[in-house]
Amino acid sequence: MIGARIRELRTERGLTLARLAAAAGVSSGLISQVERDLADPSLETLRKIAKALDLPLFSLFQEPDATAVAVVRREARMQVRSPVGGVVYTRVSPGHGRLEVLQGHLVPGGWSAAEPWSHPSEECVLVLRGRLVVEVSGAEHLLEAGDSCYFDSSLPHRYLNPGTEPADFLITATPPSY
C-alpha cells in the first residue's frame, strides 16, 4: 500500500524516480523497490521521502476519501515502527485535516530519532505511562505520566526514554507535518 501511494504522489508531482531519490538522499533502486512493495522502508527513509515530496510523513498512508466525521477503529490504525531506537507510532487521527494525533510507544533506553530533527508544525506531547525526555534545541525536559510539553516543531527535537519501563505518550501536531 505504501509503495503505490508513494508512486501516486511522485507521479502527481511529475517527479522521476531519480529526482525523488536525489531529493530524499536515497538510491533510485530503493525508491523503485519501495514502490513495487519489494522493500520495507525504515522510518527514517519514509521521513526523507515525505520531506522530498513536501508532505507530512503520515500522508504517505492517507486514505484518499476524507469525510467530515471519521471514526478510526483501534484495529484499523496505521502504525509505523523504527527498526532502530525502539519507537512505534500509531496514527489515532484519520490522516486528513489540519490536526495529527499519534500514539507513541518507546522502549526503555529508546529514542524517536538518532539526532534531533525539525518539521514545520506545532507539537504537544502528553505522557500516559512511564517517563519521557523531550529534547528541544539541546535542552532536555523530563516528563512523567500526566505531564505534557508544547513546543515549536521547527526547532530540532526528539523523544528519549530514560527509564527502565516503556513510555506511552500522545502527540498532537498542527498542521500535520510529522
Side-chain angles (χ1 to χ4, degrees), residues 23 34 49 54 57 73 89 92 128 139 156 169:
V34 168
I49 292 170
D54 195 30
L57 170 67
R73 303 283 178 210
Y89 292 112
V92 177
L128 304 172
F169 51 99

Side-chain angles (χ1 to χ4, degrees), residues 16-40:
T16 63
L17 280 169
R19 284 186 57 208
L20 177 57
V26 299
S27 72
S28 297
L30 177 59
I31 298 287
S32 175
Q33 289 179 343
V34 168
E35 286 187 357
R36 293 180 292 139
D37 293 320
L38 298 176
D40 288 326

Side-chain angles (χ1 to χ4, degrees), residues 152-174:
D152 180 341
S153 306
S154 67
L155 300 171
H157 63 280
R158 66 180 178 157
Y159 301 113
L160 306 129
N161 181 350
T164 57
E165 300 292 323
D168 292 313
F169 51 99
L170 283 179
I171 298 171
T172 55
T174 185

Side-chain angles (χ1 to χ4, degrees), residues 17-158:
L17 280 169
R19 284 186 57 208
L20 177 57
V26 299
S27 72
S28 297
L30 177 59
I31 298 287
S32 175
Q33 289 179 343
V34 168
E35 286 187 357
R36 293 180 292 139
D37 293 320
L38 298 176
D40 288 326
S42 70
L43 179 58
E44 188 60 32
T45 298
L46 288 174
R47 282 182 178 155
K48 289 177 180 180
I49 292 170
K51 186 175 182 178
L53 292 169
D54 195 30
L55 293 169
L57 170 67
F58 274 88
S59 68
L60 298 179
F61 301 94
Q62 186 173 339
E63 298 294 326
D65 295 328
T67 59
V69 176
V71 174
V72 180
R73 303 283 178 210
R74 179 184 302 225
E75 62 275 3
R77 292 180 185 168
M78 266 318 158
Q79 192 176 83
V80 175
R81 66 180 64 240
S82 177
V84 295
V87 69
V88 176
Y89 292 112
T90 305
R91 187 174 63 201
V92 177
S93 56
H96 55 77
R98 296 179 305 264
L99 177 70
E100 186 81 77
V101 182
L102 305 172
Q103 182 175 354
H105 178 83
L106 193 54
V107 299
W111 64 87
S112 62
E115 295 294 325
W117 69 292
S118 62
H119 51 99
S121 192
E122 296 174 60
E123 209 162 308
C124 185
V125 59
L126 169 66
V127 177
L128 304 172
R129 179 177 71 131
R131 299 171 69 199
L132 191 70
V133 169
V134 179
E135 181 184 325
V136 182
S137 294
E140 294 187 353
H141 309 276
L142 177 62
L143 306 179
E144 298 193 12
D147 294 343
S148 63
C149 180
Y150 165 86
F151 58 93
D152 180 341
S153 306
S154 67
L155 300 171
H157 63 280
R158 66 180 178 157

